[in-house]
Amino acid sequence: MIKVRGLTKTFNVKGFEIPAVRGVDLDVAPGEIVGFLGPNGAGKTTTLRMLSTLLTPTSGEAIVAGCDLLTDQDGVRQRIGYVGQGSGAGPEYRVAEELVTHGRLYGLSSVESKERVSSLLKRFDLEGAEDKMIGALSGGQKRRLDIVMGVMHRPQLVFLDEPSTGLDPHSRSNLWDHVRAMREQDGTTVFLTTHYLDEADALCDRILVIDAGAIVAEGTADELKQKVNGDLVSVESSSPEVAAEVAAKAPGAGEIVVEGPVVRFRIPRGDSALPGLLRDFDQAGVVVQSIQTNRPTLDDVFLTLTGRSLRDTDAATPMPAFQ
């Protein structure tokens, strides 16, 4: 569905060449839900805007939904949907009125547009909102309406840019269900950017991690987590320094840090290693007050790969306005 090779974007600002995307290669198969992760300034939205024809690449090549991105932009636009970070609906219009207008702009007849609107409003839990002013809708309703607008023409591929930003947990979970349904019911391929790690974990078949304009890792969430050196174990004890010495002797243990009464370290299969560690602590005379194990997170993955957190707002690329 998407095949990209050597995609770059450089902005000229007051005579200076500022690279935002640096030779991105990526592939997305039909029917996949793919997450595109990275901190602000990493190049996520710039890449998304290029793939959706909103920005012209500086170099590289791409096939999007079967069309050449550089020579057949009209073909790309006919086959994709795009839902940006901000709402694309006019708050002063009624829901059905706005959607029928969008359907007509996509080339649907008046009858087809009304039928499509009725079907989509039902699917996206917006039934009964036909005559409501868009400005009066809740945040979750507006976001679902944005997606309805993006899929009015039955696109093969939908780009979602930070789809659940600003929504409460219930609305986010509800939105995820609708995104899954697009794939399950229509076979739609979904390419989304997100800052929410649980969103990527819950929704995505595969994840691409971008940093400073380049793809630094890709794979399923579990595959990426395996790049981190084991589970995080936190031990609170009466003798943290001694506990650290004991932990250092355990096979595969690393990244040992003592913070006050707590020693933290990583070890493969922390749950399986715990019984042996507890015996070793006991033999060394270490009194353990508490012990916790945590599986690696996607944030741990990014920290391991780049030395920065996915939650960081500072970016290596000095052009956050273009992200």
Side-chain angles (χ1 to χ4, degrees):
M1 187 60 67
I2 304 176
K3 183 176 182 179
V4 174
R5 295 293 180 269
L7 198 68
T8 72
K9 181 63 182 179
T10 300
F11 295 98
N12 189 301
V13 180
K14 297 181 179 180
F16 292 95
E17 297 293 321
I18 308 295
V21 175
R22 312 165 185 254
V24 162
D25 297 339
L26 63 87
D27 295 277
V28 176
E32 273 195 302
I33 299 179
V34 173
F36 202 35
L37 301 186
N40 290 336
K44 299 188 307 297
T45 298
T46 297
T47 301
L48 203 68
R49 289 176 177 170
M50 286 192 285
L51 295 179
S52 56
T53 76
L54 297 176
L55 279 176
T56 301
T58 301
S59 64
E61 55 187 30
I63 302 297
V64 178
C67 300
D68 190 292
L69 182 66
L70 299 181
T71 63
D72 189 11
Q73 292 192 345
D74 286 344
V76 172
R77 292 174 186 139
Q78 290 171 5
R79 292 166 174 80
I80 69 169
Y82 177 83
V83 179
Q85 294 182 23
S87 176
E92 69 276 18
Y93 296 107
R94 299 186 186 279
V95 169
E97 176 187 10
E98 181 81 325
L99 291 176
V100 169
T101 299
H102 270 73
R104 301 289 284 139
L105 290 172
Y106 280 126
L108 303 179
S109 70
S110 178
V111 172
E112 288 174 324
S113 294
K114 292 176 181 177
E115 290 177 347
R116 182 68 171 155
V117 168
S118 177
S119 173
L120 288 174
L121 290 180
K122 184 175 181 179
R123 275 184 53 182
F124 283 81
D125 294 332
L126 290 169
E127 230 176 353
E130 293 87 346
D131 295 324
K132 288 185 177 181
M133 303 301 291
I134 292 171
L137 298 179
S138 69
Q141 289 175 320
K142 288 178 182 177
R143 212 57 187 129
R144 296 198 301 276
L145 179 64
D146 289 335
I147 295 179
V148 170
M149 291 169 61
V151 300
M152 275 291 295
H153 57 309
R154 297 182 176 86
Q156 302 171 23
L157 167 66
V158 174
F159 292 101
L160 303 178
D161 195 5
E162 306 283 354
S164 61
T165 296
L167 298 184
D168 62 79
H170 175 75
S171 296
R172 289 176 61 215
S173 179
N174 179 268
L175 186 69
W176 297 350
D177 289 339
H178 290 296
V179 172
R180 293 188 191 98
M182 287 195 299
R183 192 259 298 277
E184 293 166 2
Q185 297 180 25
D186 302 325
T188 308
T189 304
V190 180
F191 189 91
L192 66 91
T193 70
T194 181
H195 272 347
Y196 294 117
L197 303 172
D198 57 340
E199 183 162 83
D201 243 340
L203 275 180
C204 300
D205 303 313
R206 196 160 50 88
I207 294 168
L208 307 175
V209 180
I210 186 170
D211 184 45
I215 304 293
V216 295
E218 63 177 286
T220 66
D222 285 342
E223 287 170 346
L224 291 178
K225 290 172 186 177
Q226 289 173 10
K227 295 180 179 291
V228 179
N229 183 29
D231 300 338
L232 180 64
V233 179
S234 300
V235 180
E236 183 178 0
S237 75
S238 59
S239 308
E241 289 78 10
V242 178
E245 293 174 3
V246 173
K249 298 176 183 177
E255 302 179 30
I256 300 172
V257 177
V258 176
E259 295 180 344
V262 178
V263 57
R264 294 185 177 88
F265 55 94
R266 290 197 176 274
I267 191 168
R269 296 294 306 275
D271 53 348
S272 299
L274 274 185
L277 282 169
L278 288 171
R279 286 193 298 269
D280 293 340
F281 290 145
D282 185 56
Q283 290 174 5
V286 175
V287 178
V288 175
Q289 272 87 43
S290 69
I291 187 165
Q292 295 179 339
T293 63
N294 293 285
R295 296 285 296 156
T297 66
L298 290 176
D299 201 35
D300 293 328
V301 171
F302 200 82
L303 190 62
T304 297
L305 292 170
T306 70
R308 293 191 292 142
S309 167
L310 274 168
R311 301 184 186 280
D312 287 346
T313 55
D314 293 332
T317 304
M319 293 297 295
F322 292 118
Q323 305 305 311

